[in-house]
C-alpha cells in the first residue's frame, strides 16, 4: 500500500506541475498567408500542338 501512496503522490505532483504551466490564450488564430505561385501562361507557339510522350518501357511486336 505504501507504493500506491508514493505513486499517487507522484501523480498529483505531476498533475500540479502540468496545470501550473499557463496555456496561451489566443483571441484569434493567426495563420500566415501562404505564398501563391503565379500561374504561368503556357501557349504553344506552333498553334496548339501537344507534345507526345511515348512509353519507353513498352515493347511493340512489329
Amino acid at each position: 500500500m505504501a507504493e500506491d501512496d508514493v505513486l499517487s503522490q507522484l501523480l498529483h505532483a505531476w498533475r500540479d506541475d502540468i496545470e501550473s504551466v499557463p496555456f496561451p490564450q489566443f483571441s484569434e488564430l493567426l495563420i500566415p498567408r501562404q505564398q501563391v505561385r503565379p500561374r504561368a501562361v503556357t501557349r504553344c507557339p506552333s498553334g496548339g500542338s501537344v507534345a507526345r510522350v511515348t512509353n519507353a518501357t513498352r515493347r511493340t511486336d512489329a
Side-chain angles (χ1 to χ4, degrees):
M1 285 302 235
E3 185 177 323
D4 291 338
D5 293 336
V6 172
L7 289 175
S8 295
Q9 290 173 358
L10 287 172
L11 177 62
H12 289 298
W14 175 77
R15 186 176 292 160
D16 292 339
D17 187 40
I18 294 297
E19 291 175 354
S20 69
V21 177
F23 189 79
Q25 301 295 320
F26 301 103
S27 59
E28 63 183 68
L29 184 61
L30 299 176
I31 300 175
R33 290 188 61 92
Q34 298 291 319
Q35 292 182 354
V36 179
R37 293 184 188 175
R39 286 193 155 184
V41 178
T42 56
R43 295 189 181 180
C44 297
S46 60
S49 64
V50 177
R52 305 210 183 250
V53 178
T54 59
N55 186 350
T57 60
R58 181 185 297 169
R59 298 179 190 265
T60 57
D61 296 326

